[in-house]
Amino acid sequence: MDPVFAFLALLTTAGAVAAVSLRNLVHCALCLVVAFAGLAALYLQLNAQFIGFAQILVYVGAVAILIVFAILLTRGSEPGNQPILSSSWQAGLGVAVLVLGALGVAVASSFVRYYPVSPAPQPTVRELGEQLMTNYVLPLEVIGLLLTAAMIGAVIIAMHEKQGPR
Amino acid sequence: MRLNSTTLRNRSDWSGAVPIRPEYGWKIGWNGGSRASGIQTVTGTRTTHMQASDHPYLFLAVFLVVAVIFPLVPLGLARLWARTFSPPKPGPVKNAIYECGVESKGDAWIQFKSEYYLYGIIFLIFDVEAIFLFPFAVAFTNLTIGAFLAMMMFLLLLVEGLVWAWQKGVLTWK
């Protein structure tokens, strides 16, 4: 295995595990940032530059800030006293192993395995831009509409919250 | 930045000069790198031994390592200094948060004003928009007028949302 990949995979997994297992919510959010950054580095390592930098820009930059704001907005001050692990964690582990086994058997017996692996396309950002502005212009406009709707909806919800306690 | 092809050829001989190689960079610039001739392109070579050209983000990794080491060294030195030269003698005065001034009351973990969250949401929306602006900017010189108008339409939709939020007074700080 590629040592760079191994290191990045380890970093991402460690960040994700820490994000769900730490007690302090802010620490969890910061570990989530580590996991996001590890994912971005994995994308870059797979030679998918645009996705990688988009991941850094959106997830590491904006979504992480939003998560931290959400924590600061909603949290009670002290972390709860209940244990990190749920009381039925053995059952959860069993279900997870079952699902993993079923998926593994399905993938291993799939006909997809016998296809030759096609070489991955390596589109440059320039090609992406040209395709986006010509062939895929309708999805682009739909994305714009969706973003506007998301912004208006979020602002309306947050404004109601603001007017409530006054 | 304009580089003639001889400098490019010379630079491509450097083992560490990775970002100048057009197939790895983001191709921001008018030429997009594709027209810069005279460079041996080595796309898709995956060798088992490690080479700087195979790992175009090696310099990022180096930055990261230095960024971790840089603060850790003074911290470790301070810890070493404290251990050897200043034995711990804690006291209530010494452990007080402030040497002088008003003592803080309550918790620092207060609830934030929701205006912060609104700014965060609007920032996220325009961050996602910026993602689409990058390919647009890189492909700008090859675009038709229709494609340009389509992108302006996209921008107009988002600016409309911003103007709406502005009209609603979301952006004014109270």
Side-chain angles (χ1 to χ4, degrees):
Chain A
M1 207 192 324
D2 191 4
V4 178
F5 172 78
F7 173 72
L8 289 177
L10 201 67
L11 184 77
T12 309
T13 317
V17 168
V20 294
S21 62
L22 285 183
R23 208 161 259 285
N24 192 329
L25 270 181
V26 176
H27 295 170
C28 290
L30 294 180
C31 289
L32 194 65
V33 172
V34 171
F36 283 155
L39 265 184
L42 277 177
Y43 289 144
L44 290 182
Q45 200 241 349
L46 290 173
N47 222 355
Q49 286 115 359
F50 183 69
I51 302 286
F53 285 112
Q55 169 92 8
I56 289 178
L57 210 60
V58 173
Y59 280 89
V60 180
V63 171
I65 287 175
L66 218 57
I67 289 174
V68 171
F69 277 3
I71 289 172
L72 295 180
L73 210 59
T74 58
R75 56 180 280 125
S77 55
E78 74 275 357
N81 280 329
Q82 71 264 37
I84 295 279
L85 282 175
S86 163
S87 56
S88 59
W89 68 273
Q90 285 111 339
L93 193 68
V95 169
V97 167
L98 265 180
V99 169
L100 180 70
L103 283 179
V105 166
V107 169
S109 61
S110 164
F111 61 90
V112 176
R113 281 183 64 217
Y114 304 110
Y115 279 143
V117 178
S118 59
Q122 298 189 341
T124 60
V125 178
R126 187 190 189 88
E127 288 161 14
L128 273 180
E130 281 164 5
Q131 289 295 312
L132 201 61
M133 302 305 145
T134 53
N135 282 348
Y136 298 99
V137 71
L138 187 64
L140 181 76
E141 303 299 338
V142 171
I143 287 169
L145 202 63
L146 188 69
L147 283 176
T148 313
M151 173 158 78
I152 290 175
V155 166
I156 282 178
I157 290 172
M159 270 176 22
H160 268 287
E161 194 183 56
K162 189 184 69 181
Q163 284 165 355
R166 191 177 291 171
Chain B
M1 187 172 72
R2 229 169 212 299
L3 294 165
N4 57 26
S5 61
T6 49
T7 29
L8 276 177
R9 190 179 292 127
N10 289 340
R11 286 216 180 179
S12 72
D13 291 333
W14 298 359
S15 56
V18 176
I20 208 71
R21 295 200 167 202
E23 66 270 24
Y24 287 128
W26 251 41
K27 306 207 169 182
I28 295 174
W30 299 114
N31 279 333
S34 56
R35 272 182 246 159
S37 56
I39 302 170
Q40 299 281 328
T41 53
V42 279
T43 44
T45 51
R46 231 157 230 267
T47 48
T48 47
H49 62 277
M50 199 159 151
Q51 248 179 4
S53 56
D54 285 339
H55 296 272
Y57 303 105
L58 196 62
F59 66 101
L60 279 183
V62 171
F63 271 133
L64 198 65
V65 169
V66 171
V68 170
I69 288 175
F70 196 72
L72 280 188
V73 167
L75 282 177
L77 280 179
R79 176 66 64 86
L80 206 64
W81 181 272
R83 182 162 297 172
T84 45
F85 291 112
S86 74
K89 285 177 188 165
V93 178
K94 203 175 166 187
N95 282 349
I97 300 171
Y98 295 120
E99 209 169 302
C100 60
V102 186
E103 281 214 27
S104 61
K105 282 204 180 78
D107 202 357
W109 297 97
I110 54 161
Q111 197 179 19
F112 267 53
K113 288 172 76 175
S114 63
E115 274 91 348
Y116 286 110
Y117 198 63
L118 284 174
Y119 281 102
I121 287 171
I122 294 173
F123 167 61
L124 174 68
I125 298 287
F126 284 96
D127 208 32
V128 175
E129 182 202 358
I131 290 288
F132 290 98
L133 282 179
F134 272 115
F136 170 67
V138 175
F140 187 74
T141 45
N142 281 4
L143 290 181
T144 58
I145 187 80
F148 177 75
L149 286 179
M151 195 63 200
M152 287 301 117
M153 190 75 201
F154 177 79
L155 289 185
L156 193 69
L157 273 173
L158 282 158
V159 168
E160 182 195 325
L162 182 66
V163 168
W164 177 84
W166 203 333
Q167 292 269 316
K168 284 280 178 186
V170 173
L171 300 184
T172 46
W173 191 257
K174 289 187 276 283

